[in-house]
Amino acid sequence: MIDNLRGKSGQGYYVEMAVGSPPQKLNILVDTGSSNFAVGAASHPFLRRYYHRSLSVSYRDLGRSVYVPYTQGRWEGELGTDLVSLPQGPNATLRSNIAAITQSDRFFINGSNWEGILGLAYAEIARPDETLEPFFDSLVRQTSVPNLFSLQLCGAGFTQNYTLGSATVGGSMIIGGMDPSLYVGELWYTPIRRMWYYEVIIVRIEVNGQDLNMDCKEYNYDKSIVDSGTTNLRLPRKVFQAAVKAIEAASSTEQFPSGFWLGEQLVCWQTGTTPWHIFPVISLYLMSENRNHSFRISILPQQYLRPVEDVASAQEDCYKFAVSQSSTGTVMGAVIMEGFYVVFDRHRKRIGFAVSTCHVHDEFRTASVEGPFHGVDLEDCGYNLPQTDESTLMTIAYIMAGICALFMLPLCLMVCQWRFTRCFRPHGPGDFADDISLLK
């Protein structure tokens, strides 16, 4: 299962899957931030191939439709089940729920080379509801595969040792286990706070060793998740503003347009001259399994400055700032994961991080996972929705009812007066027409 992922920078990592009988091979985006297994099932300008349900003798229609919106893009389709396997995965075939995508908007990406999405998160966020069993749950239930998987996303570091064809990045997805050859040093684990997304708790953020000094709840507002289907490190508005200010100050030896920090403009240097040393290291501290300790993962600029191949010439290296603002909490996307080997240990409800053997670095700095660091009540850093007690709700309800009564009383009096007048007034020629029109 080593070296079974491919992709393009900023367009996700995909694995080959075989769907139906006889098997139809498709490239499927690996997404730990959603829970539906869905494939293109109709022609689309950006798809080289798609799933033909009519050609599969094992396809079963469930007679239900499904609609799934993402942060960017959406799709809708029809639910069914079919036989599925991973040619470069465990030697097992299972019957899985599958959504046949019939319509989409800004979902498929031109040139990305994938034709569907494999949501690896939990049933709670499956669409149309949590009764739809996700792919990985079906795999564990129907086979002897253990309830964990691990990802090594290699980013630009992959091209040094492998031939990728049209792809520019690659990696490995180990289903049912871990591979010690894919990481160095120790694995550090953080608890999965809630089994919907892969939610974790961030307790501290530093830029070049300087604490952002924010209330740790801000880092997790309204959640912090590990999501291979998102490219960037996405941060809540206040955290993003503080982080950019610190990164900008640390790299002030060169001036960059404001649009660069907003992800709207690229910066380019002559090939091989990118001044990595002027950009700071970003460190995220995650709560460890011992709730009063944390560990630190350090992210290099080689990760959060994403190479953009489409506009770069042979003489230039161009980059996009891959840290962005979020309205849905912190998202540790692919640019974070590309420095680490990440273990999704669903059985023990934890996520492990270790330094990846393929991450990009220079002679001065390397990505790192270090700990432990002592803390107190780190679990309190998690964000909780404000709770309103029952007595408060009842008080609000009575107040609203009183306000409604004040507005309704004059209206009722006016209606009564009108009905009273109408009872004693002879009908004119147009009155019945008005009554009939009210019935329409």
Side-chain angles (χ1 to χ4, degrees):
M1 288 184 266
I2 290 179
D3 186 25
N4 58 359
L5 298 180
R6 292 289 183 269
K8 289 188 177 181
S9 178
Q11 297 183 357
Y13 290 78
Y14 56 83
V15 65
E16 185 181 68
M17 298 182 73
V19 184
S21 306
Q24 301 175 42
K25 290 188 176 181
L26 300 166
N27 292 333
I28 306 297
L29 178 74
V30 174
D31 181 23
T32 62
S34 67
S35 299
N36 283 80
F37 175 36
V39 296
S43 61
H44 187 281
F46 298 162
L47 296 182
R48 295 185 302 110
R49 55 188 178 180
Y50 60 90
Y51 173 49
H52 295 265
R53 290 171 284 175
S54 60
L55 299 180
S56 174
V57 298
S58 53
Y59 176 76
R60 297 176 189 167
D61 187 0
L62 292 178
R64 299 171 70 191
S65 60
V66 59
Y67 168 81
V68 177
Y70 298 92
T71 305
Q72 176 179 310
R74 61 164 187 85
W75 58 259
E76 55 188 287
E78 298 162 359
L79 291 173
T81 70
D82 211 337
L83 299 180
V84 181
S85 64
L86 287 93
Q88 298 180 69
N91 184 22
T93 299
L94 68 144
R95 178 164 288 280
S96 172
N97 289 309
I98 184 169
I101 299 174
T102 53
Q103 294 183 34
S104 64
D105 176 42
R106 292 178 297 121
F107 175 67
F108 296 111
I109 301 174
N110 191 18
S112 67
N113 206 33
W114 49 262
E115 295 97 24
I117 186 168
L118 177 62
L120 291 169
Y122 294 97
E124 185 175 331
I125 60 170
R127 299 295 180 98
D129 55 56
E130 62 186 19
T131 63
L132 190 79
E133 185 175 67
F135 171 85
F136 206 85
D137 294 68
S138 299
L139 177 67
V140 172
R141 181 175 58 81
Q142 296 178 36
T143 71
S144 59
V145 172
N147 194 15
L148 79 156
F149 64 92
S150 51
L151 293 173
Q152 184 196 52
L153 309 183
C154 289
F158 205 75
T159 57
Q160 297 171 0
N161 303 313
Y162 299 92
T163 301
L164 298 175
S166 63
T168 59
V169 297
S172 302
M173 177 168 67
I174 311 299
I175 295 177
M178 302 179 290
D179 190 317
S181 70
L182 301 180
Y183 67 93
V184 294
E186 188 178 352
L187 269 164
W188 285 85
Y189 287 94
T190 185
I192 295 173
R193 183 174 187 245
R194 175 180 164 195
M195 291 181 292
W196 57 328
Y197 299 95
Y198 289 102
E199 184 182 355
V200 298
I201 294 179
I202 298 171
V203 302
R204 179 183 172 105
I205 297 180
E206 294 176 348
V207 174
N208 252 13
Q210 297 299 307
D211 189 356
L212 291 186
N213 278 319
M214 300 182 71
D215 181 345
C216 62
K217 276 185 166 42
E218 296 282 0
Y219 303 139
N220 305 290
Y221 177 74
D222 59 345
K223 60 184 173 294
S224 294
I225 65 172
V226 184
D227 178 10
S228 64
T230 294
T231 299
N232 288 3
L233 166 62
R234 304 183 72 232
L235 298 170
R237 183 179 60 86
K238 290 181 182 178
V239 183
F240 172 74
Q241 291 172 346
V244 167
K245 184 177 179 181
I247 296 169
E248 199 171 0
S251 54
S252 60
T253 53
E254 286 202 25
Q255 295 300 310
F256 302 100
S258 59
F260 169 68
W261 302 112
L262 297 174
E264 298 167 351
Q265 290 177 269
L266 305 179
V267 294
C268 302
W269 289 276
Q270 188 177 347
T271 300
T273 65
T274 304
W276 297 114
H277 64 281
I278 72 168
F279 291 98
V281 172
I282 301 173
S283 297
L284 306 181
Y285 289 71
L286 300 172
M287 183 178 73
S288 71
E289 290 186 286
N290 176 340
R291 297 324 203 247
N292 287 324
H293 289 96
S294 64
F295 64 91
R296 176 178 65 208
I297 62 172
S298 296
I299 301 128
L300 301 182
Q302 285 89 335
Q303 292 164 250
Y304 67 78
L305 295 184
R306 180 171 64 80
V308 182
E309 291 93 357
D310 296 343
V311 298
S313 67
Q315 290 79 39
E316 284 187 318
D317 293 327
C318 295
Y319 302 90
K320 187 174 185 178
F321 185 54
V323 182
S324 54
Q325 184 173 305
S326 168
S327 60
T328 55
T330 295
V331 182
M332 298 166 62
V335 295
I336 300 298
M337 296 176 67
E338 284 170 354
F340 308 99
Y341 182 62
V342 186
V343 178
F344 295 81
D345 187 346
R346 295 157 54 100
H347 176 67
R348 299 180 68 175
K349 300 180 180 62
R350 61 183 188 170
I351 298 177
F353 290 83
V355 176
S356 170
T357 54
C358 69
H359 81 279
V360 182
H361 59 279
D362 52 42
E363 64 270 29
F364 304 109
R365 299 178 295 192
T366 181
S368 62
V369 182
E370 300 168 304
F373 299 94
H374 183 69
V376 179
D377 298 327
L378 298 183
E379 219 161 357
D380 291 344
C381 293
Y383 178 76
N384 295 305
L385 287 172
Q387 298 295 316
T388 307
D389 61 56
E390 193 173 340
S391 61
T392 304
L393 289 174
M394 288 299 292
T395 303
I396 293 171
Y398 282 127
I399 293 171
M400 293 301 294
I403 293 171
C404 289
L406 287 173
F407 280 100
M408 289 298 293
L409 185 60
L411 182 62
C412 290
L413 290 172
M414 290 171 63
V415 171
C416 290
Q417 184 182 14
W418 174 77
R419 294 301 297 175
F420 181 79
T421 306
R422 190 162 171 83
C423 287
F424 290 92
R425 184 168 61 87
H427 290 296
D431 286 335
F432 286 109
D434 287 341
D435 287 343
I436 293 169
S437 69
L438 290 174
L439 294 174
K440 288 181 181 178

